[in-house]
Amino acid sequence: MAGESGGRADAPPVAHAVRTPREQAFTDVRANSEAAPSAGVTTGSLARQVGVSPTTLRSWDRRYGLGPETRDEGRHRRWMPGDVAMVLDMCRLTAAGIPPAEAAKAAKARAEADGPVGPPLALSASRSGSGLPLGDVRQECRGLARAAVRLDAVAVQERLVAAVTAHGLVAAWEEILAPALQAVGRKWASAGERYVEVEHLLSWHVSATIRHVYVSAASARRMPRSAPVLLACMPGEQHTLPLEALNAALAERGVPTLMLGAAVPADVLEAAADRVGPSAVVLWAQSAATAGLALARHVAAASWGVRGARTHSRVLLTGPGWGRAAHPALLHPPGLREALAALDAPQTAHPRQSYGA
């Protein structure tokens, strides 16, 4: 209801600076450390508050000299307010994609100058520092990967929002989100169960970010009452993120869509297409095992609408599972941009290959 703010009704208004969740968390950590400056905080306590492991803090101390000045008689580390500020700076810089060695150097320099914890410095990012096979990617991708490997959910979400805001959904997907997802997938395939939690964390936040773009775009635009683009994963296919990105990008362009999601049974796909008469059908297959060309051809051959005015839908095969599959009635765009262009182009266009994470 209007007027409910969770506080006292007669309390005077207070102006608050707008903070991101991570900035607020950093403020809370510094406040906790400054509440008892003579005692300091333990390594375990600091690790829990900043979202890194105690082993990481000890490694930073050993490798870069980024440790507390005070140790008790048992050689246990006690992190004082100045030490905490230095660690927070280190976290912010590495989350921004700065290699740990350079981030530590900058954090120590700020601590020596007694400067405040501010925005990341414009340092180079020559190496991943995340343990992921990233290759030649944008610095924002490296920062996102580091945050994911640390299981720092707040930093992951902030990096995703910043990337989409700065570059737009399409560029952010192709240059930051998809490369990070691909690197995590490759690492998971080679390292086994060790990286399952990283993939799940990153995938969940990527999906949440993309869906927010979709909801915002769909709410801001009044979608026309024309035939929608139907998007569906093939039967048995669970990978939805590339389709979610295309769905959101179409919504930003004011194109009506019908997103059916993962593992859509063949009869459900056919029934939905028959009901809405889509202008196009986009089918995603991550692996050859789920790329059913017979179903795709069947959908392309079907006709929709009233008798005497029945039409066919364009069918786009998307995802690496289709390989070199070809058919005169099927399109095969190589990336998100090409998929958007194919949906705008005349039905004679036939871009090929596959796209996505």
Side-chain angles (χ1 to χ4, degrees), residues 21-22 50-51 144 147-148 150-160 201-202 204-205:
R22 189 165 180 80
V50 300
L144 176 61
R150 293 202 314 271
L151 298 182
D152 188 339
V154 175
V156 166
Q157 189 59 49
E158 289 186 354
R159 295 296 160 197
L160 290 170
L201 171 74
L202 183 58
W204 189 92
H205 282 278

Side-chain angles (χ1 to χ4, degrees), residues 99-167:
E102 294 185 37
K105 183 178 180 180
K108 290 172 67 176
R110 288 190 183 187
E112 292 172 0
D114 196 27
V117 177
L121 297 177
L123 301 177
S124 63
S126 57
R127 298 183 304 279
S128 165
S130 63
L132 298 177
L134 288 169
D136 185 15
V137 296
R138 298 182 68 102
Q139 180 169 307
E140 295 99 322
C141 182
R142 299 181 187 281
L144 176 61
R146 286 197 183 94
V149 169
R150 293 202 314 271
L151 298 182
D152 188 339
V154 175
V156 166
Q157 189 59 49
E158 289 186 354
R159 295 296 160 197
L160 290 170
V161 172
V164 172
T165 301
H167 305 290

Side-chain angles (χ1 to χ4, degrees), residues 212-354:
H212 178 74
V213 172
Y214 167 77
V215 171
S216 298
S219 300
R221 294 174 178 265
R222 189 166 186 83
M223 296 298 177
R225 293 185 177 276
S226 56
V229 174
L230 190 155
L231 304 99
C233 289
M234 292 293 289
E237 180 58 67
Q238 298 294 333
H239 294 78
T240 65
L241 290 177
L243 273 191
E244 292 180 36
L246 177 57
N247 185 56
L250 288 170
E252 286 187 318
R253 288 156 175 75
V255 177
T257 63
L258 178 62
M259 174 66 163
L260 298 184
V264 180
D267 58 336
V268 173
L269 174 63
E270 294 174 21
D274 187 53
R275 290 182 61 184
V276 303
S279 61
V281 177
V282 182
L283 302 175
W284 176 268
Q286 181 74 17
S287 68
T290 61
L293 191 55
L295 175 58
R297 287 172 173 168
H298 177 73
V299 172
S303 58
W304 331 106
V306 298
R307 182 173 298 179
R310 297 175 74 82
T311 61
H312 296 274
S313 301
R314 286 175 292 171
V315 174
L316 280 69
L317 305 182
T318 56
W322 297 104
R324 296 183 179 276
H327 188 278
L330 308 179
L331 305 176
H332 205 175
L336 178 55
R337 291 180 190 275
E338 292 79 7
L340 291 168
L343 291 169
D344 287 337
Q347 295 196 30
T348 54
H350 289 272
R352 302 200 182 281
Q353 302 306 319
S354 60

Side-chain angles (χ1 to χ4, degrees), residues 11-79:
V14 179
H16 295 281
V18 177
R19 297 177 183 272
T20 66
R22 189 165 180 80
E23 287 173 338
Q24 185 59 56
F26 284 175
T27 300
D28 294 343
V29 173
R30 299 187 78 176
N32 292 339
S33 68
E34 292 168 359
S38 60
V41 297
T42 65
T43 297
S45 176
L46 180 59
R48 286 190 297 272
Q49 293 180 72
V50 300
V52 300
S53 70
T55 301
T56 297
L57 291 178
R58 297 186 186 100
S59 175
W60 288 350
D61 185 6
R62 183 177 65 257
R63 293 183 180 182
Y64 313 120
L66 204 72
E69 296 184 5
T70 303
R71 301 172 190 266
D72 62 20
E73 295 180 357
R75 298 290 294 170
H76 293 294
R77 297 169 174 82
R78 306 295 298 189
W79 302 80

